[in-house]
Amino acid sequence: MDPPGLYVHIPFCKTKCPYCDFYSVTDLSALDAWLEALNKEADMYRDVFGIFDSLYLGGGTPSLLDNRQMETLIKMIRRCFAFTNDVEISMEVNPDDVDVEKLKCWHDCGINRISIGVQSFDDDELVFLKRRHSATGAKRSIEHVVSVGFENFGIDLMFGLPSQTEDILISNLEKALTFEPKHLSCYQLTLEKKTPYGRLKAEGRIKPLSENKEKRLFALTSAYLKSKGFIHYEISNFAKAVQYESRHNKKYWQHIQYLGLGPAAHSFNDNKRWWNCKSVDRYCKDISKRIKPIDGFEILSDEQLRLERLLLGFRTKFGVAIRDVKDNQSFEQTLLRLQRRRIVKVVNDKIVPTVKGFLIANRLPQMFF
Amino acid sequence: MKQIRNFSIIAHIDHGKSTLADRLIQHANLVDARQFRDQILDNMDIERERGITIKSQTVNLPYNSKKGEEFELNLIDTPGHVDFSYEVSRALASCEGVLLIVDASQGVEAQTLANLYAAMEHNLVIIPVINKIDLPSADIDRVKDEIEHELGLDAETVLLCSAKEGTGIEDIFEAIVERIPPPKGDIEKTLTALIFDAHYDSFRGTIVSCRVFDGRVKPGDTIRLMAMGTAYKVEEVGYFRLKMESKKELSAGEVGYLIAGIKTVSDTRIGDTVTLDTMPAHKPLAGFKEVKPVVFSSIYPIASDDYLSLSDALEKYKLNDAALVYQKDSSAALGQGFRCGFLGLLHLEIVQERLEREFDQSIIMTSPSVQYRFYLTDGRILTVDNPAYYPDPAVIEKAEEPYIRASIMIPERYVGAVMKICMERRGVNSHLNYPTAGRVEIAFDMPLAEVIFDFYDRLKSITQGYGSFDYEIIDYRESDLVKLDILVNGERVDALSMIVHRERSRERAVKACESLKDEIPRQQFKIAIQGAIGGKIISRSTVAPYRKDVTAKCYGGDITRKRKLLEKQKKGKKRMRIVGSVEIPQSAFMAVLKTDSE
């Protein structure tokens, strides 16, 4: 069985980005209390999972931890859990937090994969996204990352902003590639309901791009990056080579077990999934009472697991196993039709989406119900 | 003879018939308050939800009058919808009197009239009752006036009650025993009993509800069903007091049930006469007729693998519904299924709901059709209730379709609007009648095909709920009929075809394409919907393609939410059928017949 992955959610941000729907707070005063609670939570799961081959520090903004806090965090995680020798330790980094001292500390801590949340190399877009950094600042940060010796780093970009043209998108991609990243995440701006921008959209004050335009930008991103030698291995993710695909994130997409620590983190084990409360305060309180800060859980039926394999599989180049869909009476007909329209390919025993398939990944599962 | 009174309650829909029945049962102390469920007589879920009685049921109520006499009252419940008018007529034939309920704020409605006429045909004593007098909008004087002038009944005889609050119930009991005559009949004569209802019980077989007119029947007797020509040995007789209570015998004047090893409800006929096999009656009781379906539609399983399961479900359903007829059918688009005949659209909906709810079937029902007649050049007459069998137009000499006499009651201010929709639907021979000031009764001859689908809904909406409607089928009339085909992406979907009047065909084709455009979900490719007669396209609409639905991220926290969405879609998918390469939802098969959008 594939080794499990470990996720740590660092639920703190200096400022909230108006489109983001991950859980975080901007009051940093609880940071040390949270770190102490995290230590105890890790202790609660000491022998539950086996040997991990990935650790992912996400958020929130992991890079806002100071060096002492980061060292403490890594030490306690390593004290509670065992890792393989080739463990992938990833960390999300905000360009504004980067300096050489910090980078050296992270490097010494064993962090060997960095995702830099650049989002855009266009200052107007960065203003719209209310990011803390400028395009110049972002470039400088990436240079530091390279200079400290992080060979495996990636750049996160966003596309599909209301004012975005194909030219701006290509220019963003070109600029990113000048740094020769091993990985690119290109997220389409999604105006989630419960975010400030989601509300502006509901009020009609932000107009999302037309379906056709979004589609063109997505296809363009994929085609451009592929022409530069990248593998489009998940809807929003590109890797320069197979070994640079995110080992950790693939666990989510392939139903490999993972443990999530920290507020709002999700865990998955065989057929169980549970998630922590979305409150730093309650998280700390629960743990001080020696109870796990779990907010909910579900035990998945075989059918639910199958549905998830469909929804996840059609989002990646790994696809969906034919045995998961062939009970459907019109399966062959559906498959032929989708192949003819070049929405999917059949590779060995898998149905694999093409870029056209990625475009309608949400709709593909229901065609095989 | 015992002191017996046999009566029914008749009313326009929603005037409170079932609530009153419940009150009478409660008053008779058959149940304690804790056991008492609202609307005990309406024992099926659908009936409870829709508030209408579909299957009638009978209950025996003991009553001690003010004068101290003991009575047994048989309340024979009747279905409250025009689809079941024959069943109503047989129930009425089993009574000596009726309570005619009129809503204190709605007043006299079309079915009040139709029910009154039916009761008068059977020479029944009519006790008018104004119900819902507790309503703030109650207008007792106006309704009394309507009863006197529109129904021709003496306003002095009107009783007032609120079934909901339980007021006026004692007066109703007294009126029943005082005004309704005891049943006549001769216990010594040979047995004649009228079957007015039957239902199926999985342990006992068919339970027949009947009214004994002459003679007596007891367990051990061999009975003969005269119209069916079959004989059975009686196992048990009795009456209903919420549950069945067996008795030694049923004799002249009494109402009750009999169980005689009759396998299915379809082995009996409502209106048939039960007599003794050894000493049969000379002639059956009057009024028997075979009910014939007037609305036809095909039922297909959503997944073609489920054909056998559907077949099984229909067979079981049929045990309890003699009015449903069905036979095998097949469609190029939908595969194997069944062509079914119904008493009317409500009956159709009931069958659909019960198959889905009680028998757990996922089905597609095609748009309903009436039964057309085609006179062919070679002299043959073809009866067609399925557009798939529309004959080659070249050999049609003439065509006919069934007509109804529609009777509509409305406040005067809606006359213009109602006349308009009736004319649009090819209504002819209109006749206006002003029973009282401000109210109009409109009669029209109309093709049944024009009213089976959404006529009543339309009438309700243009009259803001004040219009009421009743109809009877009168005859077949010559008509210029064509077959309208629907093509989805160039493929003819046979299950969407319909037979329409030539003059209405273009309009129907345009509306069908429009409705389908709203019903068929967007897919990755453009979907063309066309209406065609013969090879000629006469209408068209397009469902725009769906291009993109990606959301950017999917990590640990997103998976549960996304799966739940899928589970919801999966439920909805159960109601889709793929035709060619297009997913067509169940609703589309009905939507093609919608003539007006709201």
Side-chain angles (χ1 to χ4, degrees):
Chain A
M1 206 162 87
D2 290 291
L6 178 59
Y7 175 79
V8 178
H9 191 70
I10 291 100
F12 298 97
C13 287
K14 284 184 187 158
T15 55
K16 287 287 285 183
C17 300
Y19 52 86
C20 174
D21 73 337
F22 287 106
Y23 173 70
S24 73
V25 296
T26 50
D27 174 10
L28 308 184
S29 62
L31 219 157
D32 282 314
W34 162 80
L35 199 55
E36 211 186 302
L38 183 73
N39 193 9
K40 288 181 183 150
E41 193 195 10
D43 212 41
M44 293 173 181
Y45 288 99
R46 220 174 235 277
D47 298 312
V48 180
F49 287 73
I51 300 170
F52 295 92
D53 72 347
S54 77
L55 168 61
Y56 193 104
L57 308 180
T61 316
S63 57
L64 60 66
L65 296 190
D66 64 30
N67 289 347
R68 176 193 57 85
Q69 290 162 332
M70 183 57 80
E71 282 162 7
T72 311
L73 189 151
I74 295 290
K75 236 181 255 163
M76 68 197 205
I77 293 292
R78 282 200 171 272
R79 199 176 55 236
C80 292
F81 305 105
F83 293 91
T84 57
N85 288 331
D86 71 336
V87 61
E88 171 193 279
I89 305 181
S90 309
M91 173 178 172
E92 291 173 350
V93 169
N94 188 317
D96 192 44
D97 293 327
V98 169
D99 60 48
V100 176
E101 283 308 302
K102 274 190 166 183
L103 282 164
K104 278 183 177 159
C105 164
W106 300 339
H107 200 264
D108 293 344
C109 282
I111 289 161
N112 53 24
R113 186 174 177 275
I114 277 184
S115 285
I116 310 164
V118 173
Q119 315 311 348
S120 174
F121 289 100
D122 178 298
D123 280 329
D124 292 338
E125 289 194 339
L126 288 170
V127 168
F128 171 81
L129 295 171
K130 301 205 172 157
R131 299 293 297 193
R132 288 191 263 139
H133 59 274
S134 64
T136 321
K139 287 177 196 164
R140 197 169 38 224
S141 301
I142 303 169
E143 281 159 9
H144 287 326
V145 168
V146 176
S147 73
V148 170
F150 284 98
E151 182 252 5
N152 184 3
F153 75 93
I155 295 173
D156 295 354
L157 296 173
M158 296 192 82
F159 74 94
L161 278 62
S163 59
Q164 196 168 54
T165 60
E166 293 178 18
D167 287 347
I168 298 177
L169 174 68
I170 290 291
S171 153
N172 273 336
L173 294 171
E174 272 173 353
K175 282 175 187 151
L177 294 193
T178 58
F179 300 99
E180 300 186 348
K182 299 294 186 290
H183 191 275
L184 279 169
S185 293
C186 299
Y187 296 110
Q188 181 204 326
L189 174 68
T190 315
L191 303 169
E192 303 283 359
K193 266 188 197 146
K194 285 176 186 164
T195 62
Y197 276 5
R199 284 189 282 276
L200 289 183
K201 178 188 164 194
E203 291 164 16
R205 289 160 63 192
I206 294 183
K207 283 221 167 64
L209 290 178
S210 74
E211 223 171 76
N212 250 328
K213 221 163 181 182
E214 284 183 344
K215 179 195 153 208
R216 283 218 306 278
L217 294 177
F218 179 83
L220 188 62
T221 305
S222 177
Y224 180 80
L225 291 176
K226 276 188 200 159
S227 78
K228 302 293 178 188
F230 280 83
I231 308 164
H232 193 174
Y233 73 103
E234 195 259 357
I235 284 179
S236 310
N237 287 287
F238 300 83
K240 190 77 198 185
V242 173
Q243 69 267 29
Y244 297 119
E245 290 172 2
S246 169
R247 185 190 288 175
H248 185 83
N249 286 338
K250 283 199 283 192
K251 297 191 190 296
Y252 300 129
W253 305 326
Q254 299 184 328
H255 266 173
I256 299 167
Q257 50 186 342
Y258 46 88
L259 171 63
L261 301 177
H266 282 60
S267 304
F268 178 76
N269 190 356
D270 293 334
N271 62 348
K272 284 191 290 295
R273 181 177 289 119
W274 65 95
W275 47 92
N276 285 347
C277 60
K278 280 189 175 183
S279 155
V280 174
D281 201 40
R282 227 203 88 194
Y283 174 82
C284 295
K285 273 186 192 147
D286 279 1
I287 288 174
S288 71
K289 289 185 241 159
R290 293 176 197 284
I291 40 181
K292 288 179 181 162
I294 293 175
D295 202 30
F297 73 95
E298 58 187 3
I299 293 170
L300 301 168
S301 67
D302 287 349
E303 176 58 9
Q304 287 176 317
L305 285 167
R306 188 182 74 93
L307 279 184
E308 290 193 356
R309 287 198 295 274
L310 299 193
L311 89 85
L312 295 168
F314 283 129
R315 295 178 63 95
T316 67
K317 69 162 190 187
F318 312 108
V320 167
I322 284 182
R323 78 181 121 76
D324 270 336
V325 294
K326 74 165 177 233
D327 282 351
N328 179 297
Q329 48 144 342
S330 53
F331 148 75
E332 304 219 344
Q333 213 182 323
T334 309
L335 187 57
L336 269 174
R337 186 161 49 87
L338 293 173
Q339 280 177 287
R340 224 176 17 240
R341 307 187 73 87
R342 284 183 303 169
I343 288 168
V344 300
K345 296 177 294 196
V346 174
V347 181
N348 299 327
D349 291 334
K350 299 254 179 154
I351 302 169
V352 176
T354 63
V355 181
K356 272 176 96 176
F358 280 157
L359 276 165
I360 55 161
N362 286 357
R363 289 212 161 192
L364 281 173
Q366 50 179 300
M367 297 181 196
F368 290 101
F369 280 166
Chain B
M1 193 181 274
K2 261 173 285 175
Q3 298 258 50
I4 294 176
R5 297 292 183 272
N6 297 320
F7 73 104
S8 260
I9 309 175
I10 52 178
H12 187 77
I13 191 163
D14 284 342
H15 281 196
K17 188 177 74 165
S18 295
T19 317
L20 178 60
D22 292 349
R23 278 297 160 205
L24 297 178
I25 292 166
Q26 198 181 26
H27 194 89
N29 292 323
L30 293 184
V31 264
D32 64 47
R34 270 186 40 182
Q35 276 182 312
F36 189 77
R37 287 197 311 171
D38 275 351
Q39 306 200 352
I40 285 165
L41 290 184
D42 290 359
N43 58 0
M44 279 190 276
D45 276 357
I46 301 167
E47 292 180 348
R48 198 176 303 279
E49 266 171 33
R50 291 168 174 248
I52 44 172
T53 314
I54 300 155
K55 285 301 269 185
S56 45
Q57 198 171 318
T58 298
V59 63
N60 178 282
L61 307 168
Y63 176 69
N64 292 333
S65 74
K66 282 184 181 157
K67 287 185 188 155
E69 288 173 292
E70 285 183 22
F71 286 89
E72 277 191 6
L73 313 182
N74 291 307
L75 164 55
I76 297 167
D77 201 24
T78 57
H81 191 277
V82 63
D83 283 1
F84 303 99
S85 57
Y86 180 67
E87 291 191 22
V88 174
S89 84
R90 294 305 87 200
L92 293 181
S94 307
C95 299
E96 277 74 39
V98 292
L99 303 177
L100 177 68
I101 311 299
V102 184
D103 184 302
S105 65
Q106 303 286 324
V108 170
E109 303 267 18
Q111 280 168 32
T112 317
L113 269 175
N115 283 318
L116 173 74
Y117 296 152
M120 282 159 72
E121 263 176 47
H122 292 97
N123 291 319
L124 304 183
V125 168
I126 291 152
I127 303 173
V129 179
I130 299 179
N131 187 24
K132 305 195 192 180
I133 55 167
D134 58 304
L135 287 183
S137 57
D139 187 348
I140 293 164
D141 288 340
R142 193 199 88 223
V143 175
K144 271 191 177 170
D145 192 57
E146 287 177 8
I147 288 173
E148 183 143 335
H149 291 101
E150 296 184 30
L151 305 183
L153 300 172
D154 184 355
E156 295 297 309
T157 65
V158 172
L159 301 178
L160 302 179
C161 88
S162 161
K164 195 172 140 223
E165 314 234 299
T167 51
I169 303 301
E170 188 69 31
D171 291 344
I172 292 175
F173 272 107
E174 283 298 310
I176 290 168
V177 300
E178 291 294 326
R179 296 191 208 168
I180 297 176
K184 294 192 194 98
D186 189 342
I187 208 164
E188 301 307 328
K189 276 192 183 167
T190 186
L191 172 69
T192 50
L194 176 69
I195 299 179
F196 61 85
D197 192 16
H199 47 257
Y200 176 77
D201 178 292
S202 49
F203 298 107
R204 313 293 314 264
T206 302
I207 296 164
V208 173
S209 293
C210 61
R211 153 75 193 266
V212 181
F213 280 90
D214 284 315
R216 58 179 86 192
V217 59
K218 58 184 186 305
D221 289 347
T222 302
I223 53 164
R224 185 191 295 179
L225 309 183
M226 294 182 78
M228 299 297 284
T230 49
Y232 299 92
K233 194 162 183 192
V234 176
E235 294 163 9
E236 183 180 318
V237 299
Y239 50 50
F240 294 99
R241 275 193 169 164
L242 298 187
K243 19 185 237 288
M244 293 189 291
E245 291 183 14
S246 64
K247 295 178 62 169
K248 274 192 199 138
E249 64 171 26
L250 287 177
S251 61
E254 287 188 300
V255 169
Y257 69 86
L258 64 85
I259 297 170
I262 302 171
K263 210 166 153 230
T264 78
V265 167
S266 304
D267 294 326
T268 64
R269 291 286 181 272
I270 287 179
D272 200 354
T273 303
V274 181
T275 188
L276 288 179
D277 194 45
T278 45
M279 199 179 48
H282 291 300
K283 59 180 173 75
L285 296 161
F288 175 73
K289 66 176 187 189
E290 287 261 4
V291 284
K292 291 209 171 66
V294 294
V295 173
F296 299 82
S297 161
S298 296
I299 301 181
Y300 296 95
I302 290 210
S304 48
D305 307 6
D306 292 339
Y307 172 78
L308 287 177
S309 151
L310 175 61
S311 169
D312 196 43
L314 269 171
E315 203 172 298
K316 286 199 184 109
Y317 174 82
K318 171 83 179 146
L319 290 176
N320 215 357
D321 185 350
L324 173 76
V325 297
Y326 67 93
Q327 63 186 57
K328 281 183 185 166
D329 187 23
S330 72
S331 144
L334 300 174
Q336 279 190 301
F338 298 93
R339 190 69 183 173
C340 304
F342 307 91
L343 297 181
L345 219 67
L346 180 81
H347 185 211
L348 175 151
E349 283 174 31
I350 290 162
V351 173
Q352 175 181 8
E353 278 191 42
R354 291 192 56 196
L355 284 175
E356 289 182 340
R357 199 186 310 207
E358 294 168 36
F359 296 90
D360 201 25
Q361 298 294 307
S362 298
I363 54 173
I364 292 251
M365 264 182 132
T366 61
S367 37
S369 167
V370 301
Q371 205 162 44
Y372 298 96
R373 281 184 200 150
F374 293 96
Y375 293 77
L376 307 184
T377 46
D378 63 4
R380 281 189 304 147
I381 302 171
L382 208 61
T383 304
V384 172
D385 61 49
N386 184 345
Y389 300 117
Y390 176 81
D392 177 358
V395 301
I396 299 175
E397 182 111 356
K398 68 165 184 168
E400 285 181 348
E401 66 177 315
Y403 267 67
I404 57 152
R405 182 82 175 156
S407 159
I408 297 162
M409 283 199 76
I410 42 167
E412 200 171 2
R413 61 184 179 279
Y414 299 115
V415 168
V418 171
M419 294 283 279
K420 186 165 166 275
I421 63 161
C422 290
M423 311 275 270
E424 276 170 10
R425 288 165 189 251
R426 299 189 280 136
V428 290
N429 284 340
S430 68
H431 183 78
L432 264 69
N433 183 21
Y434 294 82
T436 49
R439 284 169 65 84
V440 182
E441 188 192 356
I442 304 179
F444 257 107
D445 293 356
M446 286 163 84
L448 175 62
E450 297 282 348
V451 300
I452 54 167
F453 201 63
D454 58 352
F455 179 76
Y456 193 45
D457 291 341
R458 282 287 296 152
L459 179 74
K460 280 266 189 207
S461 98
I462 62 166
T463 62
Q464 288 155 334
Y466 287 106
S468 58
F469 168 63
D470 192 50
Y471 74 84
E472 55 175 336
I473 291 179
I474 43 177
D475 52 15
Y476 270 76
R477 296 185 189 175
E478 189 167 345
S479 183
D480 188 5
L481 300 170
V482 293
K483 185 169 100 164
L484 172 63
D485 287 320
I486 302 291
L487 288 73
V488 176
N489 270 358
E491 251 181 84
R492 190 171 64 86
V493 180
D494 55 2
L496 290 173
S497 297
M498 54 191 136
I499 295 173
V500 296
H501 191 261
R502 188 182 300 276
E503 276 168 26
R504 294 264 279 153
S505 60
R506 180 172 298 272
E507 183 194 346
R508 295 292 289 272
V510 169
K511 294 239 163 86
C513 286
E514 270 171 26
S515 317
L516 284 172
K517 184 182 151 198
D518 296 335
E519 295 292 337
I520 296 178
R522 294 167 67 196
Q523 284 158 55
Q524 309 82 257
F525 42 87
K526 192 162 86 178
I527 303 167
I529 302 163
Q530 295 164 305
I533 290 174
K536 197 173 155 225
I537 305 293
I538 57 168
S539 67
R540 177 185 175 97
S541 67
T542 309
V543 181
Y546 195 88
R547 293 291 183 205
K548 180 176 183 308
D549 62 8
V550 164
T551 46
K553 65 180 174 68
C554 182
Y555 297 107
D558 304 309
I559 299 172
T560 302
R561 188 168 46 87
K562 282 182 189 291
R563 189 201 66 241
K564 284 187 173 158
L565 206 68
L566 270 194
E567 284 170 350
K568 220 168 114 190
Q569 287 170 348
K570 197 176 170 202
K571 268 193 182 156
K573 174 94 173 190
K574 275 195 160 175
R575 295 179 161 265
M576 299 268 209
R577 186 70 194 245
I578 293 178
V579 175
S581 54
V582 179
E583 284 175 352
I584 301 184
Q586 184 190 38
S587 52
F589 293 92
M590 289 290 166
V592 285
L593 265 201
K594 262 188 202 143
T595 49
D596 295 275
S597 40
E598 284 304 313

